[in-house]
Amino acid sequence: MKIKNHKIKITLLLVIFIYWLFCLPSELFKVPTSTIVESSNGNMLGARIADDGQWRFPKMDSVPNRFEQSILLFEDEYFYSHLGFNPVAISKALWQNITTDKRRGGSTLTQQVIRLSRKNKSRNYAEKLVEIFQATRLEVRFSKKEILNFYASYAPFGGNVVGLETASWRYFGTPSSELGWGQAAALAVLPNAPSLIFPGKNEAIFKKKRDRLLLKLFQKEVINQTTYELALLERLPGKPLPLPEYAPHFTEKIRREHKGERVQTTIDFQLQKKANRIAKEHYYSLRQNQINNLSILILDVETRNVLGYVGNAPTTRENNNYVDIIDKSRSTGSVLKPFLYASLLDAGELLPNTLVADIPTVINGYSPKNFDNKYNGAVPASVALSRSLNIPAVRMLREYGLQRYYNKLKKLNLKSINKTPDHYGLALILGGAESSLWEVTNTYAGMASTLNFFNHSSSEYRNNEFVEPNYVFGLKNDLGKTDINPSVFDAGAIYHTLNALQEVNRPTGEENWSFFNNSQQIAWKTGTSFGFKDAWAVGVTPKYAIGIWVGNADGEGRPGLTGIQAAAPILFDILNELPFQEEWFATPYDELIEAEICAKSGQLANVNCDETTMDWIPKNGIRTASCSYHQKVFLDKSETYRVNSSCYSLTEMKQKNWFSLPPILEYYYTPLHPEYQPLPPFKNNCLQENEALLSFIYPKKNEEILLPKDFDETINEVIFKLAHRLPETIVYWYLDSEFIGATQTFHELSIAPKPGEYILSVMDQDGNELRQKVIIR
């Protein structure tokens, strides 16, 4: 019988032990926590409340010494010596509860952690026994520091404020590590009676408890006399303070992707504050023109870390202040043009300063226009880029190939451009596609990073340069493995592209930047979408990439909403706040080759080019054609007329190299370039061999003419235009062989034809003829 009873006891003890061993859940606290976002140096940028409506910060890593000393002296002086419960304290509490009407708790901090984890179940003696039982298990499973950390993280501090760190921010606006003794003592008192937090009430009781604890700290020689007296003067917590909100849209982005976590980010705290100030200042100015939204993104070129993030202006709810515009797709305007320029240089189909046509252009019914509605005739490709001329860009895209360019954009990780090339057409280069500030700024940063790495390595590339930006502190972007071949553009093409973008005219007040030693260099580009709905400014230095978008979130266009007027001033204000850098991008000689270049055409020089320069061009550029605009001409003795052997003595001819543009380019180029000399006319009686003297300006080949109507349905006249190398020549106009007029000097003719198909032909006084088919609707 005794043996049987003994076995029962052993079995019972074993059961109790097993229950004790597994009495705690694997995760002590399964509660939602707030999302906390910090800058790279630990400053709070913003926070979002937990899903259960509580401000409960994620579990603390450690408990600050001042709070630890205060809470131990107030709640559990023998915390580090007991095994989870204090028999003496429990006995005193039990005796008082039995013999008096007052209620006293004898729970240790360990027991209180158990009670918090059990969601504060009803307080009775049975529950108290469960707490004691589980408290002993908690002491075995966790260290004393960890238990204290649990208490500090999940104790209530009044209202919906849970945890020491939360309380510290909500009541004092500071992290718990920076609490003064008076503040720490006040918060140590609160979990015992969280109802003391009520503005205007209970302050005397609260202060008495806090001061009594401070006195105890002084008597125990934890603090000295001076500290004690200063701590008594510290204010009590009152109405909860608003939490910091330095990057609301960024905080919301973190909440979506890292819900309930404390995330230390790569944001530069001081730079973020400056960006906020700049955004606020410009918003107050822009809203006078009913422009209500803007966004700013700043990246570190080398690491691709996010340094500054302003998702929207401090505008009103009616103007969509909650919308984070940085990751929203908007019409790109002209900000994709540099990628086309770099593509052409990389492919060896263009040299940096090759003349490109800027003339009236119609391609399958599409007629692009420059922003100023003017034409330059011919302009260096780098200048066309820096001046953001639309017509040269469209013509270059047609030459390069829409599909090829689209493929390049996909390699640049521009994910928002997700429709087929045919959907966008040639308008792709002028804002026909949409992308986000996040993607575009990162692409510019990737180009700068490619060039930097090439120059600082053994002339190598990385195969993942256009990876997404990183914003989590401590994480490192994988920019890929090294390779001798570029992933998109070679360093030579990027170098010339960034140099061209450095020449973009700066906004008002920045025009004379180059005269000041403290002015930063930057390669940058503006963009303006059709209808003045989106204004962009994106720029890179060897260290930073800055992206600016300005507009209305609802898509409303406004006059003056252009890249240069609305976005560029913000970009340069941000640039002026960044650390000054004197160095510019180094020349990537290993991807360049020195070549003789025609000074006027920008093409490889030929024997007819009188003025040449030695320039470093992309290696593939050596495959481009030599100068097509210089030719050898023969002149009479006075150099007034061109001559040939059919009309002039060979011995008296003068040979000369001449820079000559095609007629239609010359027509627009000459008024802008007084130094340009058109080819002299041929001397009378000289045979002219296949020289193009005439070119239609309007209509262009295969262009359909739409007859314009007034409001009263009256059909207006159509104006035909012609370029002639010899303006003074008389030109005769015919429509289907019917004479319709003659012009001299200014070759423009107004007629009112009926709809139909015609043959338009012209003939000058010397018999030179030009004709083409026209369709009038």
Side-chain angles (χ1 to χ4, degrees), residues 615-629:
D615 289 338
W616 290 93
I617 62 172
K619 279 185 175 180
N620 289 337
I622 205 68
R623 304 196 301 239
T624 59
S626 62
C627 180
S628 57
Y629 299 120

Side-chain angles (χ1 to χ4, degrees), residues 333-337 340 390 393-394 397 405 425-432:
S334 298
V335 294
L336 303 185
K337 287 178 181 176
L340 174 61
N390 292 334
V394 171
L397 178 55
Y405 180 58
L426 295 175
L428 172 63
I429 198 67
L430 304 182

Side-chain angles (χ1 to χ4, degrees), residues 29 38 77 209 262-263 279 301 321 418 571 646 703 735:
F29 291 91
E38 297 176 343
E77 196 169 350
K209 285 194 171 193
R262 180 189 299 273
V263 180
V301 164
N321 62 348
N418 53 17
L571 182 143
S646 69
E703 179 180 9
L735 201 61

Side-chain angles (χ1 to χ4, degrees), residues 563-629:
I564 191 68
Q565 288 180 271
I570 303 176
L571 182 143
F572 283 96
D573 280 352
I574 294 291
L575 178 66
N576 291 334
E577 295 294 346
L578 295 173
F580 179 75
Q581 276 192 305
E582 194 170 337
E583 301 83 11
W584 187 240
F585 294 99
T587 305
Y589 288 107
D590 286 351
E591 285 287 22
L592 301 174
I593 187 170
E594 195 171 21
E596 187 177 12
I597 305 298
C598 176
K600 289 186 176 180
S601 70
Q603 297 173 308
L604 294 175
N606 63 25
V607 293
N608 298 323
C609 297
D610 290 329
E611 298 177 39
T612 63
T613 59
M614 296 300 295
D615 289 338
W616 290 93
I617 62 172
K619 279 185 175 180
N620 289 337
I622 205 68
R623 304 196 301 239
T624 59
S626 62
C627 180
S628 57
Y629 299 120

Side-chain angles (χ1 to χ4, degrees), residues 602-751:
Q603 297 173 308
L604 294 175
N606 63 25
V607 293
N608 298 323
C609 297
D610 290 329
E611 298 177 39
T612 63
T613 59
M614 296 300 295
D615 289 338
W616 290 93
I617 62 172
K619 279 185 175 180
N620 289 337
I622 205 68
R623 304 196 301 239
T624 59
S626 62
C627 180
S628 57
Y629 299 120
H630 273 93
Q631 57 181 286
K632 196 178 296 296
V633 298
F634 295 93
L635 306 174
D636 63 4
K637 189 183 296 186
S638 64
E639 299 187 3
T640 306
Y641 297 100
R642 278 184 290 164
V643 295
N644 53 41
S645 59
S646 69
C647 63
Y648 205 75
S649 171
L650 291 175
T651 58
E652 295 183 358
M653 285 184 193
K654 288 190 174 180
Q655 181 177 296
K656 196 169 186 178
N657 294 327
W658 204 282
F659 175 67
S660 175
L661 298 171
I664 191 167
L665 272 66
E666 184 177 271
Y667 177 83
Y668 291 101
Y669 185 87
T670 303
L672 302 175
H673 296 270
E675 77 283 1
Y676 178 77
Q677 296 294 322
L679 276 172
F682 273 95
K683 196 175 181 65
N684 291 338
N685 302 323
C686 280
L687 295 176
Q688 302 175 33
E689 300 177 358
N690 301 321
E691 183 184 21
L693 296 177
L694 304 89
S695 179
F696 282 116
I697 299 173
Y698 183 82
K700 297 300 295 179
K701 189 175 182 180
N702 299 324
E703 179 180 9
E704 289 190 1
I705 300 172
L706 296 177
L707 294 174
K709 291 183 179 181
D710 288 334
F711 291 111
D712 60 0
E713 296 298 309
T714 302
I715 296 178
N716 293 327
E717 293 183 331
V718 175
I719 302 176
F720 293 147
K721 294 184 180 181
L722 177 78
H724 198 296
R725 192 180 293 281
L726 307 174
E728 297 302 322
T729 302
I730 299 174
V731 174
Y732 304 97
W733 297 72
Y734 301 87
L735 201 61
D736 278 351
S737 302
E738 180 183 345
F739 177 72
I740 56 175
T743 56
Q744 187 175 10
T745 306
F746 298 104
H747 300 296
E748 299 181 0
L749 188 68
S750 299
I751 65 168

Side-chain angles (χ1 to χ4, degrees), residues 213-225:
L213 175 56
L214 287 173
L215 178 61
K216 198 172 182 181
L217 288 166
F218 172 60
Q219 291 172 343
K220 293 283 186 179
E221 297 184 352
V222 177
I223 58 176
N224 58 31
Q225 176 80 32

